[in-house]
Amino acid sequence: MSRIDSRPRVISNPTTAPERAQPEARQAANVARATAVGHTQVNSFESAARARPAVAAQPIPGAWRGGPDTEVGRAVQSMVSRLQSNPDANNITIKGDTAASLFSRAILDSKHVTNEQLIAMANVPLESLASDEKTKAKVYKKVPNARDLPVHKFTVAMMSAATGIDPQKLSEAVPDLGLTGAPNTPLLYAAKGEGMQRSTALHDFTDYLRGAGIKGLNKAVWGVENRVLSAIVSAVGGGRY
């Protein structure tokens, strides 16, 4: 009878269980960390919004001329307010400009236009600008749709902002605003090119106000005061704006 030896004892390796547990433990730890981050991390859109710098407020055109308690400051504020409230001053674009942007750049922010001229503009009455009935008849004969033209509305918006005259009344009284040439000459037409339209709108603004008593306005914008010479400077694309 052969000897029966005792069965060998199975000795478990103490490192086996921990080694199997390590990946599971690491995975659990990673999940925990991800969960914690998910609760505490700022949303990426919120983070981007916080990181984005605030947009600087745009300066008010002409505000450098004087505070709201000064005569020129009140005049400028009224002009800017009228520009903001008139759809035609902001919705009609000619050669990259609205009436509001052109008026702000060429008049309110121009170092050549004086405070005294701005104050005087605000006091120009409709009667000083209005065309007589004979002139109006010539305008409608040559350009029947004169008051429907975008360049007319554009010019009226600038003139109304400066003077405070109601745009509708101004359009009725001066239908030739925005037309190239002059009603009492053979040359009167609606310009097709936007460059000519914009320069005509601005020249009509300065020259009609010059005729209403605002001396030096043509020179401030065009470099010369004479009506014809300033019109030529305008037509060839000159000016200080």
Side-chain angles (χ1 to χ4, degrees):
M1 181 174 170
S2 62
R3 178 183 175 185
I4 301 177
D5 294 327
S6 61
R7 295 179 180 177
R9 288 176 297 175
V10 177
I11 302 175
S12 62
N13 188 341
T15 62
T16 302
E19 286 178 353
R20 287 197 302 269
Q22 282 178 3
E24 296 177 1
R26 283 196 298 270
Q27 183 177 5
N30 290 338
V31 171
R33 282 196 298 271
T35 303
V37 170
H39 286 298
T40 60
Q41 189 176 36
V42 178
N43 181 284
S44 59
F45 291 105
E46 294 177 358
S47 178
R50 291 180 184 178
R52 189 181 303 119
V55 178
Q58 296 297 315
I60 298 175
W64 53 269
R65 294 179 179 274
D69 56 340
T70 64
E71 187 176 10
V72 69
R74 289 190 292 271
V76 168
Q77 282 190 323
S78 295
M79 292 175 185
V80 171
S81 177
R82 287 190 284 267
L83 286 171
Q84 292 173 340
S85 63
N86 185 348
D88 287 343
N90 298 283
N91 296 338
I92 299 173
T93 301
I94 298 177
K95 194 65 175 178
D97 267 311
T98 61
S101 68
L102 182 60
F103 182 80
S104 297
R105 184 173 77 255
I107 305 300
L108 293 180
D109 279 334
S110 172
K111 301 293 184 180
H112 301 288
V113 176
T114 68
N115 290 352
E116 291 73 23
Q117 287 172 327
L118 285 176
I119 293 170
M121 288 178 202
N123 294 295
V124 169
L126 179 60
E127 294 74 22
S128 297
L129 296 167
S131 300
D132 58 41
E133 294 304 318
K134 186 177 180 180
T135 298
K136 291 180 186 178
K138 290 180 179 179
V139 170
Y140 291 128
K141 183 178 180 179
K142 292 185 177 181
V143 188
N145 65 333
R147 293 180 56 211
D148 296 326
L149 297 173
V151 67
H152 172 76
K153 297 176 181 179
F154 185 104
T155 311
V156 167
M158 290 198 296
M159 190 71 78
S160 175
T163 62
I165 300 170
D166 178 75
Q168 180 69 20
K169 292 180 179 179
L170 188 57
S171 175
E172 293 171 354
V174 202
D176 37 312
L177 283 174
L179 295 181
T180 301
N184 296 318
T185 70
L187 184 65
L188 182 70
Y189 66 99
K192 299 296 184 182
E194 289 195 353
M196 181 62 77
Q197 288 178 7
R198 184 178 66 179
S199 65
T200 294
L202 186 55
H203 186 263
D204 274 8
F205 175 87
T206 62
D207 195 60
Y208 276 65
L209 285 176
R210 178 201 60 80
I214 313 298
K215 302 302 181 184
L217 194 56
N218 271 346
K219 185 173 183 180
V221 176
W222 307 108
V224 289
E225 183 67 3
N226 180 271
R227 183 181 192 183
V228 175
L229 293 179
S230 59
I232 293 173
V233 172
S234 166
V236 299
R240 300 166 164 178
Y241 67 96

